[in-house]
Amino acid sequence: MEIRIENLTKAYGDFKAIDNMNLTIADGDLVGLLGPSGCGKSTTLFMLAGLNKPTAGRIFFGEHEVTDIAPEDRGIGLVFQNYALYPHMTVEDNIMFPLINRKVPKNEARDRAYEMAKMVQLEGLMKRKPKALSGGQQQRVAIARALVKKPEVLLLDEPLSNLDAKLRVETREEIRRIQQEVKITTIFVTHDQEEAMSISDKIAVMEKGVLQQYEVPQKMYLNPGNLFVATFLGTPQINVFDAEVHDGKIYCAGNMLRSGCMVPDGSYKGGIRPESFNVTLLPSAPDAIRAEASHVRMTGRELQIRFNLGANEFRLLVHSDMQIGVGTPFYLTTREKQILLFGQDGKTVGKF
Ligand SMILES: Nc1ncnc2c1ncn2[C@@H]1O[C@H](COP(=O)(O)OP(=O)(O)OP(=O)(O)O)[C@@H](O)[C@H]1O
Ligand SMILES: [Mg+2]
């Protein structure tokens, strides 16, 4: 089911929690709705669910406008952060509950509950109560319960935030598998950029109630539309520095980083990701920049090195077998097409 959001706004008095949002989600896609705390992710999801009434704008599921349709008539499955299972009921009864509630005959409801349980790999646990399950298992019960009505849209609000790191990764892969198996259009709210990038067909990044960019993960990472999106995606964070452009050359604190850039002379914000440097211990090219490591951190696969160009601090990543310690001089160049320039308004001007 395609979801279309048109000019959606939610205001609380003068404050706009969502400001004129436009978004179309293709049938069968999983979209990660991503942004910092308070940016309006839950508000958006609640409006899609019908639990929160828009101040302005319209929502379509397929060709049908649902803006004023009651939540129970929208054909959605909802999963929240705190699984909200009924503690006194068994797993089986929890999953069957939405069907019993809809007066589906008990035998049929049970059959469908077992079908769902099989899909989320819970068959062996049907007679247990929620408190006898792990967090990840409880979350899968919540997903089975949301899917048992065969909704056409699945809405998940930070469904993994109660799980530990390892279980989070496992459960998100599980959610992706189930979503692709059922081919259900899904919106997955998270403030974890890595989580969003790893399971989404497309990501919608929001800040302060405004949709910043809507793109497939790799394209968004490589071609962020503005400084906010650039800094929100990626760990360690993209390096942001004061850039000067003269005659098509990009400088940072007098060091020439790149030539042949067709942008007007002037001051910009530059952005370069920690993985976008070439580092050698001897000068590799006439224009290689000499730098010195101020901090070195070993993370296993790679070394994280900090260095300065003037007042600008950078972090870079190199393979962990490189012999660089604090104070070691090294030479760097930047990889082709890896320097972003942002205008004074924060919008991306180009990539060089
Ligand atoms: N009933 C309300 N009255 C006034 N302001 C509200 C109300 N509900 C939400 N807000 C505000 O709207 C903004 C968006 O809230 P929302 O819950 O959508 O954020 P979120 O992106 O889900 O954040 P989080 O990641 O912390 O869950 C916040 O600034 C919040 O304080
Ligand atoms: Mg929220």
Side-chain angles (χ1 to χ4, degrees), residues 125-164:
L125 306 172
M126 294 296 268
K127 299 294 178 196
R128 290 204 199 165
K129 299 265 176 73
K131 68 171 186 302
L133 301 177
S134 74
Q137 290 165 340
Q138 290 184 41
Q139 199 54 275
R140 279 186 278 153
V141 177
I143 292 165
R145 193 179 58 181
L147 289 176
V148 78
K149 286 175 292 180
K150 302 216 187 307
E152 298 208 67
V153 170
L154 180 61
L155 304 174
L156 306 160
D157 193 354
E158 308 245 10
L160 308 179
S161 45
N162 285 347
L163 308 182
D164 70 39

Side-chain angles (χ1 to χ4, degrees), residues 22 27 39 69 119 163 173 186 266 310 335:
N22 287 282
D27 181 32
C39 72
I69 304 277
M119 170 127 60
L163 308 182
E173 301 301 332
T186 300
R335 287 172 52 205

Side-chain angles (χ1 to χ4, degrees), residues 36-43 45-46 81 157-158 189-191:
S37 184
C39 72
K41 304 180 295 293
S42 296
T43 305
L45 209 73
F46 283 27
Q81 167 179 352
D157 193 354
E158 308 245 10
V189 166
T190 178
H191 56 260

Side-chain angles (χ1 to χ4, degrees), residues 24-152:
T24 300
I25 296 170
D27 181 32
D29 264 9
L30 187 158
V31 166
L33 190 54
L34 179 66
S37 184
C39 72
K41 304 180 295 293
S42 296
T43 305
T44 304
L45 209 73
F46 283 27
M47 287 195 281
L48 288 167
L51 299 168
N52 207 334
K53 201 175 149 32
T55 310
R58 309 205 290 171
I59 299 168
F60 294 84
F61 286 178
E63 285 313 304
H64 297 286
E65 181 169 2
V66 298
T67 320
D68 296 316
I69 304 277
E72 60 274 20
D73 298 326
R74 291 191 182 199
I76 47 166
L78 264 177
V79 178
F80 296 108
Q81 167 179 352
N82 50 348
Y83 341 106
L85 301 176
Y86 304 109
H88 58 286
M89 289 186 192
T90 60
V91 168
E92 176 179 312
D93 288 337
N94 263 285
I95 300 176
M96 279 165 61
F97 184 79
L99 299 176
I100 298 297
N101 215 16
R102 292 191 155 197
K103 312 271 185 286
V104 174
K106 207 160 182 185
N107 280 337
E108 191 192 330
R110 183 172 293 115
D111 287 349
R112 280 171 63 181
Y114 272 82
E115 207 181 294
M116 281 324 305
K118 198 167 167 202
M119 170 127 60
V120 301
Q121 295 170 351
L122 282 170
E123 305 113 293
L125 306 172
M126 294 296 268
K127 299 294 178 196
R128 290 204 199 165
K129 299 265 176 73
K131 68 171 186 302
L133 301 177
S134 74
Q137 290 165 340
Q138 290 184 41
Q139 199 54 275
R140 279 186 278 153
V141 177
I143 292 165
R145 193 179 58 181
L147 289 176
V148 78
K149 286 175 292 180
K150 302 216 187 307
E152 298 208 67

Side-chain angles (χ1 to χ4, degrees), residues 93-323:
D93 288 337
N94 263 285
I95 300 176
M96 279 165 61
F97 184 79
L99 299 176
I100 298 297
N101 215 16
R102 292 191 155 197
K103 312 271 185 286
V104 174
K106 207 160 182 185
N107 280 337
E108 191 192 330
R110 183 172 293 115
D111 287 349
R112 280 171 63 181
Y114 272 82
E115 207 181 294
M116 281 324 305
K118 198 167 167 202
M119 170 127 60
V120 301
Q121 295 170 351
L122 282 170
E123 305 113 293
L125 306 172
M126 294 296 268
K127 299 294 178 196
R128 290 204 199 165
K129 299 265 176 73
K131 68 171 186 302
L133 301 177
S134 74
Q137 290 165 340
Q138 290 184 41
Q139 199 54 275
R140 279 186 278 153
V141 177
I143 292 165
R145 193 179 58 181
L147 289 176
V148 78
K149 286 175 292 180
K150 302 216 187 307
E152 298 208 67
V153 170
L154 180 61
L155 304 174
L156 306 160
D157 193 354
E158 308 245 10
L160 308 179
S161 45
N162 285 347
L163 308 182
D164 70 39
K166 184 161 175 285
L167 203 50
R168 258 185 103 109
V169 172
E170 285 171 14
T171 312
R172 81 187 185 204
E173 301 301 332
E174 192 76 348
I175 288 176
R176 179 59 160 165
R177 180 186 66 75
I178 297 163
Q179 184 266 335
Q180 289 188 320
E181 205 167 312
V182 193
K183 294 190 177 57
I184 185 170
T185 310
T186 300
I187 301 184
F188 185 104
V189 166
T190 178
H191 56 260
D192 181 333
Q193 48 94 25
E194 196 224 312
E195 191 165 284
M197 281 198 279
S198 66
I199 64 166
S200 305
D201 293 299
K202 279 180 119 175
I203 298 177
V205 173
M206 299 180 62
E207 192 208 16
K208 295 186 179 145
V210 179
L211 178 65
Q212 304 289 316
Q213 193 170 0
Y214 180 48
E215 193 41 280
V216 300
Q218 193 179 19
K219 277 195 186 160
M220 190 180 283
Y221 185 78
L222 296 174
N223 298 300
N226 62 36
L227 190 54
F228 177 81
V229 175
T231 52
F232 199 74
L233 296 185
T235 42
Q237 207 176 288
I238 192 168
N239 297 291
V240 177
F241 59 94
D242 296 318
E244 295 290 332
V245 175
H246 292 297
D247 298 333
K249 296 189 172 97
I250 303 174
Y251 294 87
C252 174
N255 300 282
M256 207 268 287
L257 295 174
R258 169 91 49 236
S259 57
C261 314
M262 290 305 119
V263 293
D265 285 4
S267 300
Y268 296 84
K269 283 286 174 204
I272 181 162
R273 297 211 178 266
E275 66 271 27
S276 299
F277 294 93
N278 300 310
V279 177
T280 53
L281 291 174
L282 296 169
S284 57
D287 56 357
I289 295 166
R290 187 181 186 279
E292 238 172 58
S294 62
H295 295 77
V296 177
R297 191 152 76 90
M298 167 71 180
T299 63
R301 192 181 30 178
E302 52 216 1
L303 290 182
Q304 239 185 69
I305 295 169
R306 280 197 252 167
F307 67 95
N308 282 74
L309 295 179
N312 301 274
E313 184 173 72
F314 291 81
R315 277 165 210 258
L316 63 77
L317 297 173
V318 292
H319 203 273
S320 55
D321 62 5
M322 247 193 132
Q323 297 298 320

